[in-house]
């Protein structure tokens, strides 16, 4: 099941995400936009972020 997350969510500060943070810093930018779609699994093992007019990451 997917749930929404915000820019300060633990998923963006997890060990696994931080290890690849440079590659995925676009996720931080999109997550900071209040109008963006931000979803994660309840287990924090999958995240998706989408800004209007752009591709889903």
């Amino acid at each position: 099941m997917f749930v929404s997350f915000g820019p300060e969510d633990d998923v963006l500060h997890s060990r696994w995400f931080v290890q690849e943070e440079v590659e995925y810093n676009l996720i931080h930018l999109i997550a900071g936009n209040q109008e963006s779609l931000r979803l994660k699994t309840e287990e924090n093992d999958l995240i998706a972020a989408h800004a209007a007019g752009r591709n889903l990451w």
Side-chain angles (χ1 to χ4, degrees):
M1 172 176 224
F2 288 98
V3 295
S4 183
F5 71 90
E8 298 301 322
D9 194 282
D10 289 341
V11 71
L12 298 178
H13 304 286
S14 69
R15 187 179 99 211
W16 300 111
F17 189 83
V18 172
Q19 285 178 341
E20 304 294 333
E21 187 172 4
V22 172
E23 184 176 350
Y24 298 112
N25 67 9
L26 182 57
I27 298 288
H28 285 282
L29 179 64
I30 296 170
N33 180 345
Q34 292 299 320
E35 296 177 11
S36 65
L37 173 65
R38 303 169 307 264
L39 298 172
K40 68 175 185 171
T41 57
E42 291 178 335
E43 298 80 20
N44 287 341
D45 58 359
L46 178 72
I47 62 173
H50 178 265
R54 305 290 182 192
N55 292 328
L56 177 73
W57 283 85

